[in-house]
Amino acid sequence: SELSPSSAKLPSNSSSRSSTSNAHQQHSTMIRTASSLITRRLPSTASSVVAITSGGSRSALPSVSVGVSRGMTILSKESKEEFKKENYSARMAKTRRPVSPHVTIYSFPVCALSSIATRVTGCILSFGAAGLGIVEIFGGSGAALSTMQCIGSGEMVGGALFVAGAKFSVAFPFAYHYLGGLRHLVWDNSPEMLTNVDVEKASYGLLGASVLLSSVAAVV
């Protein structure tokens, strides 16, 4: 039997569809290959490639994001030992990056200054007690007492102003450190008092009370 015209065209249409599918597959393969090459070689963060097909038409490949990664530094044993010998400032100086001055540029609140002063007065009391102990050890029994009596009476260095200053310099560390300890004892038992306003008031109060008591002791 003879084939109708419509049925005679079917084989050619199937062949055309097959060739078109193969062309699309080749085009997709080319796109993936080009994208892979872009990802491996280009340092930019995004790129778009235009491919020219066999028919002369242009088709833009999808943008490919490329991350720029930093190379890993591998230290040998020698460089590791040399790295340990350098301090932080020396290492930063080599990088030519500025180092933050941290505490030298910030304004301390009064509560921080009062807390630091509590520790400073404690160190002063420790050194003062150690000094009197050394005088007593090397000067003999009663040497420390005699030294303090001479300073208090003005016999070593004359003048009432010097005597008052010497008494104040001894009384202030005692008063400030003792009252500071009481303040922390109250805060430990009443943590609800640790507010910004109350802490600031307590710091000013501590300084005022210490100066007042030390001034009274200086003129007695």
Side-chain angles (χ1 to χ4, degrees), residues 2 15 17 20 44 47 54 72 74 77 79 103 109 118 169 176 186 220:
E2 296 184 359
S15 175
R17 285 196 296 269
T20 303
S44 59
S47 59
S54 58
M72 183 176 62
I74 301 176
K77 291 184 179 180
S79 58
V103 297
T118 302
S169 63
Y176 192 93
V186 172
V220 172

Side-chain angles (χ1 to χ4, degrees), residues 11 35 46 49 55 65 67 81 105 108-109 119 122 165 193-194 201 214 216:
S35 301
V49 177
S65 298
E81 294 299 326
I105 65 172
F108 283 86
R119 289 153 177 79
M193 298 178 65
L194 287 172
K201 289 181 179 179
S214 302
V216 172

Side-chain angles (χ1 to χ4, degrees), residues 49-60:
V49 177
V50 177
I52 300 177
T53 60
S54 58
S57 61
R58 291 172 171 266
S59 60

Side-chain angles (χ1 to χ4, degrees), residues 4 13 28 73 77 81 95 98 110 126 140 147 162 190-191 203 220:
S4 64
N13 290 339
S28 300
T73 302
K77 291 184 179 180
E81 294 299 326
T95 61
V110 64
S126 299
T147 302
F162 173 79
S190 302
S203 300
V220 172

Side-chain angles (χ1 to χ4, degrees), residues 28-112:
S28 300
T29 303
M30 183 180 65
I31 290 175
R32 287 195 297 269
T33 304
S35 301
S36 177
L37 292 175
I38 292 169
T39 306
R40 292 177 184 176
R41 297 183 181 181
L42 291 185
S44 59
T45 56
S47 59
S48 179
V49 177
V50 177
I52 300 177
T53 60
S54 58
S57 61
R58 291 172 171 266
S59 60
L61 299 182
S63 297
V64 180
S65 298
V66 180
V68 180
S69 60
R70 182 180 178 182
M72 183 176 62
T73 302
I74 301 176
L75 296 177
S76 62
K77 291 184 179 180
E78 292 78 10
S79 58
K80 183 178 180 181
E81 294 299 326
E82 188 67 23
F83 183 79
K84 288 182 179 179
K85 294 179 182 179
E86 297 180 357
N87 58 21
Y88 179 78
S89 299
R91 294 200 302 269
M92 290 297 102
K94 288 185 176 181
T95 61
R96 297 184 179 180
R97 293 196 296 265
V99 181
S100 174
H102 63 290
V103 297
T104 60
I105 65 172
Y106 298 116
S107 177
F108 283 86
V110 64
C111 57

Side-chain angles (χ1 to χ4, degrees), residues 126-138:
S126 299
F127 283 112
L132 288 177
I134 292 174
V135 171
E136 186 73 13
I137 291 173
F138 291 96

